[in-house]
C-alpha cells in the first residue's frame, strides 16, 4: 500500500476521518461509502462577487484574469484590489479586500507569496467563500522558506471555518454556464458551454479547451489546483460528479494525495454514469523530480500503485494530452453502443487495412466477420472494383453513386452483424448532409438507430477546403474522430467504459 494511505486501526474495515468526510472502505474500492460535510464550491464556480487581488494596469496574470472576467460576460460584482490604484481599466480598485463594498465569494490572489497570509486573514474577516492562490513561491521551490510558507497556509486553511483555499500555484477557474472566466490565459477562444469539466494541477492544461472547442465539444467548468494544500482533485471531482452541467470529467494529476477521498469521488461519478479521464504523469524517476519543482506533490512517487488503483476504480487513464483530447471527443461522438462488433467502410482499401490492424489489436473492440450471405448481397450491388468483406472498400467510384451507397447501407443495416459502423474519411471535414455519403448515412441512422455511426478521418489537424469558415467538422451534430491509431485508442477506452457501466 502507498505511504499516503496513513495508519489504520482495523484492517478489515478501514475508517478514515478528515475534516470534510467520513469514509468507510471495504476491500472493493468501487463500493466505498461516504457521508460528508461537503466543501461548498458554489463560491468558486458561481460567485456573486469576485475580487482580483494584485491586479494593476501592467501586463500580468492578474491583469489577464481581470480582463477575462469582464470580457466573459460575468454579471456579478467585480473589483480589483491594489493600494496603488483607484481603477484598473474600468474596474474599481480598492486598497484592501476589506474595503470592497460588496460580498466577495471568490478572491483570486495574485501577489507575492510572502503577502498571502495577511490577505487570507482579511479574507476571513470579510467572510470570503473561496480564496484561489495564483501565486507561486511555496513548497515547489524545494527550499526551507518555501516549505515553511506552505505549512503556514496549510495550518491557516485547516483552522478556517469560512474560507476554502484552492492552490497555491494555480492558474484560475472558469464556468462557461455562469459564465465566468477567471484564468491567466490571454488567448481565450470563442467559448462553447457544454458538458466537459476539468480539474488540472497544471495551469497550462487549460489550453486543452482550444482543441476541444475547435472540435465542437463544449466546456462546463475548469479549475486548476496547483500544490493542493487544502483542496485536492478528489473534492473537485466529487463535486463535479453531482454537477448536472458536467457529463465528462477530465483530470491532469501529478499524484493522488488522498486515495480514500478519491475513491469515494470516483464511486459517486460511477453512480452518475460520468466517465473520468485522467492523465497521471510521473512514470519515471526523472519526471518525479520535475513534479517536485512543479507542484511539490509527494504522492507522485506512488505512480505504479496509482495506475492500478485508477483502473480498479474504472478511471480511464491516458498517456498524453493528444489521447486525453481524443478520448474526450470520442465520448461526445459515440453514444452507448449495444456491443463491440465493428464494421469499417470507406472508399480507401489502404485506410481499411490500417484501421483493421488497429481494431484487431484493440482490447475492447472486435472486427466483425461478414457472413457469406451478407457478402453475396454486397457483391450484387457494389461495383466490381469493391470488395465484400470487412473492412469494406467501396472503391472511389462509389463516391458518386447515391443509389449504390443507399443500397449498401440498407444491406449492411439489415444484416445485424455489427454494432458500430466506422465511416473512413481522408480529411477531417464535415460530411455534407446532401452528399451521397451524407444521405446514405442519414438514412441508415433513421432505419437502424441501434447502429452507432462514427465518421473517422485518416488525417488529423486543420484541413483546407470547406472548413475554412472555422466551424468544427461534424456529422449529425457530433464531432468526427481524427487520426487512425489515436482514434482507435480513444474508441477502445469509450467502448470498454460503456461495457463496464
Amino acid at each position: 500500500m502507498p505511504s499516503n494511505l496513513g495508519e489504520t486501526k482495523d484492517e478489515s474495515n478501514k475508517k478514515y476521518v478528515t475534516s470534510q468526510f467520513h469514509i468507510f472502505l471495504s476491500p472493493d474500492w468501487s463500493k466505498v461509502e461516504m457521508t460528508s460535510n461537503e466543501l461548498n464550491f458554489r463560491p468558486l464556480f458561481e460567485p456573486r462577487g469576485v475580487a482580483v487581488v494584485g491586479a494593476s494596469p501592467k501586463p500580468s496574470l492578474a491583469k489577464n484574469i481581470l480582463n477575462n472576467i469582464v470580457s466573459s460576460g460575468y454579471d456579478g460584482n467585480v473589483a480589483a484590489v491594489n493600494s496603488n490604484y483607484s481603477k484598473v481599466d474600468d474596474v474599481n480598485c480598492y486598497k484592501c479586500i476589506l474595503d470592497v463594498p460588496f460580498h466577495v465569494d471568490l478572491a483570486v490572489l495574485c501577489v507575492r507569496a510572502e503577502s498571502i497570509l495577511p490577505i487570507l486573514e482579511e479574507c476571513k474577516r470579510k467572510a470570503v467563500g473561496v480564496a484561489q492562490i495564483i501565486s507561486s513561491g511555496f513548497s515547489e521551490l524545494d527550499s526551507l522558506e518555501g516549505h515553511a510558507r506552505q505549512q503556514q497556509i496549510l495550518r491557516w486553511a485547516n483552522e478556517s471555518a469560512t474560507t476554502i483555499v484552492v492552490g497555491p500555484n494555480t492558474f484560475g477557474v472558469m464556468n462557461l454556464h455562469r459564465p465566468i472566466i477567471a484564468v491567466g490565459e490571454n488567448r481565450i477562444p470563442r467559448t462553447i458551454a457544454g458538458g466537459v469539466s476539468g480539474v488540472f494541477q497544471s495551469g497550462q492544461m487549460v489550453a486543452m479547451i482550444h482543441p476541444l472547442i475547435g472540435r465542437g465539444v463544449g466546456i462546463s467548468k475548469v479549475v486548476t489546483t496547483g500544490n493542493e494544500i487544502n483542496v485536492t482533485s478528489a473534492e473537485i471531482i466529487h463535486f463535479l460528479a453531482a454537477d448536472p452541467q458536467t457529463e465528462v470529467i477530465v483530470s491532469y494529476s501529478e499524484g493522488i494525495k488522498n486515495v480514500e477521498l478519491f475513491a469515494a469521488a470516483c464511486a459517486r461519478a460511477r453512480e452518475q454514469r460520468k466517465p473520468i479521464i485522467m492523465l497521471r504523469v510521473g512514470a519515471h524517476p526523472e519526471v518525479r523530480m520535475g513534479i517536485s519543482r512543479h507542484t511539490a506533490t509527494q504522492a507522485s512517487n506512488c505512480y505504479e500503485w496509482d495506475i492500478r488503483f485508477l483502473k480498479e476504480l474504472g478511471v480511464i487513464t491516458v498517456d498524453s494530452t493528444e489521447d486525453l483530447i481524443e478520448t474526450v471527443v470520442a465520448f461526445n461522438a459515440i453514444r452507448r453502443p449495444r456491443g463491440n462488433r465493428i464494421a469499417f467502410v470507406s472508399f480507401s482499401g489502404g485506410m481499411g487495412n490500417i484501421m483493421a490492424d488497429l481494431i484487431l489489436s484493440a482490447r475492447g473492440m472486435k472486427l466483425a466477420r461478414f457472413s457469406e450471405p451478407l457478402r453475396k448481397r454486397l457483391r450484387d450491388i457494389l461495383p466490381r472494383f469493391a470488395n465484400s468483406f470487412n473492412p469494406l472498400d467501396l472503391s472511389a467510384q462509389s463516391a458518386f453513386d447515391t443509389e449504390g451507397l443507399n443500397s449498401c447501407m440498407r444491406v449492411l443495416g439489415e444484416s445485424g452483424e455489427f454494432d458500430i459502423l466506422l465511416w473512413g474519411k481522408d480529411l477531417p471535414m464535415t460530411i455534407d448532409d446532401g452528399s451521397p455519403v451524407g444521405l446514405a448515412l442519414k438514412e441508415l441512422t433513421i432505419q437502424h438507430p441501434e447502429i452507432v455511426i462514427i465518421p473517422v478521418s485518416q488525417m488529423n489537424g486543420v484541413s483546407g477546403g470547406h472548413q475554412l469558415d472555422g466551424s468544427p467538422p461534424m456529422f449529425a451534430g457530433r464531432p468526427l474522430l481524427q487520426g487512425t491509431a489515436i482514434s482507435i485508442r480513444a474508441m477502445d477506452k469509450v467502448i470498454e467504459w460503456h461495457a463496464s457501466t
Side-chain angles (χ1 to χ4, degrees), residues 447-478:
Q447 296 300 323
H448 295 279
E450 73 279 5
I451 295 174
V452 176
I453 301 173
I454 308 167
V456 55
S457 64
Q458 185 170 354
M459 308 301 173
N460 54 17
V462 178
S463 68
H466 298 93
Q467 299 305 121
L468 289 177
D469 63 356
S471 62
M474 307 286 281
F475 169 71
R478 294 177 181 269

Side-chain angles (χ1 to χ4, degrees), residues 263-426:
C266 291
R268 188 183 215 187
R270 197 170 183 85
E271 289 173 1
Q272 299 297 318
R273 297 187 55 79
K274 296 182 182 181
I276 301 171
I277 309 166
M278 177 177 283
L279 173 54
R280 165 64 163 98
V281 295
H284 302 282
E286 295 85 350
V287 180
R288 294 164 197 164
M289 290 176 61
I291 289 172
S292 69
R293 289 305 304 272
H294 184 223
T295 60
T297 303
Q298 297 301 313
S300 64
N301 294 323
C302 303
Y303 177 84
E304 291 81 6
W305 191 92
D306 278 0
I307 293 299
R308 294 194 299 270
F309 177 59
L310 291 168
K311 290 180 179 178
E312 187 176 344
L313 292 174
V315 175
I316 299 168
T317 58
V318 296
D319 299 320
S320 68
T321 52
E322 295 88 348
D323 282 287
L324 191 69
I325 290 165
E326 203 64 31
T327 306
V328 172
V329 173
F331 268 106
N332 282 263
I334 304 171
R335 58 180 173 82
R336 185 183 183 90
R338 65 182 177 183
N340 66 348
R341 299 173 300 168
I342 311 294
F344 182 85
V345 186
S346 74
F347 299 132
S348 168
M351 184 179 181
N353 294 333
I354 294 169
M355 297 295 280
D357 260 342
L358 293 166
I359 293 167
L360 289 166
S361 300
R363 186 173 62 179
M365 305 168 71
K366 179 180 179 181
L367 186 69
R369 184 183 294 273
F370 289 171
S371 66
E372 185 55 37
L374 173 56
R375 293 187 61 190
K376 181 179 184 307
R377 292 190 68 189
L378 290 171
R379 285 195 297 267
D380 290 341
I381 58 175
L382 292 174
R384 63 187 182 90
F385 306 105
N387 66 35
S388 61
F389 50 81
N390 191 20
L392 185 59
D393 173 13
L394 300 180
S395 82
Q397 179 178 330
S398 299
F400 310 98
D401 184 0
T402 300
E403 183 178 349
L405 282 172
N406 283 335
S407 298
C408 177
M409 293 301 149
R410 183 178 65 253
V411 168
L412 288 171
E414 291 171 353
S415 73
E417 295 187 8
F418 59 92
D419 309 299
I420 298 171
L421 185 139
L422 288 186
W423 178 263
K425 291 173 48 62
D426 50 1

Side-chain angles (χ1 to χ4, degrees), residues 143-261:
S143 66
L144 291 175
E145 180 186 18
H147 287 300
R149 197 175 287 139
Q150 181 152 316
Q151 284 301 311
Q152 288 179 329
I153 304 300
L154 175 61
R155 284 194 294 270
W156 187 93
N158 287 339
E159 294 170 1
S160 173
T162 57
T163 305
I164 299 169
V165 175
V166 178
N169 190 21
T170 74
F171 200 60
V173 62
M174 63 174 63
N175 176 4
L176 298 191
H177 292 280
R178 171 71 171 90
I180 179 172
I181 299 176
V183 296
E185 172 70 71
N186 63 357
R187 303 157 299 171
I188 296 296
R190 185 177 63 181
T191 53
I192 303 172
V196 176
S197 290
V199 49
F200 306 130
Q201 279 194 268
S202 173
Q204 186 163 315
M205 288 299 295
V206 171
M208 77 174 291
I209 71 171
H210 291 255
L212 287 177
I213 290 172
R215 300 282 294 276
V217 176
I219 308 300
S220 179
K221 299 172 178 65
V222 174
V223 63
T224 56
T225 56
N227 293 12
E228 296 192 353
I229 64 171
N230 180 224
V231 172
T232 67
S233 296
E235 283 98 340
I236 300 292
I237 291 173
H238 186 261
F239 169 83
L240 295 174
D243 174 34
Q245 295 170 335
T246 296
E247 298 170 1
V248 176
I249 301 169
V250 189
S251 178
Y252 167 89
S253 173
E254 297 189 346
I256 300 172
K257 287 196 169 184
N258 191 318
V259 296
E260 300 85 24
L261 300 186

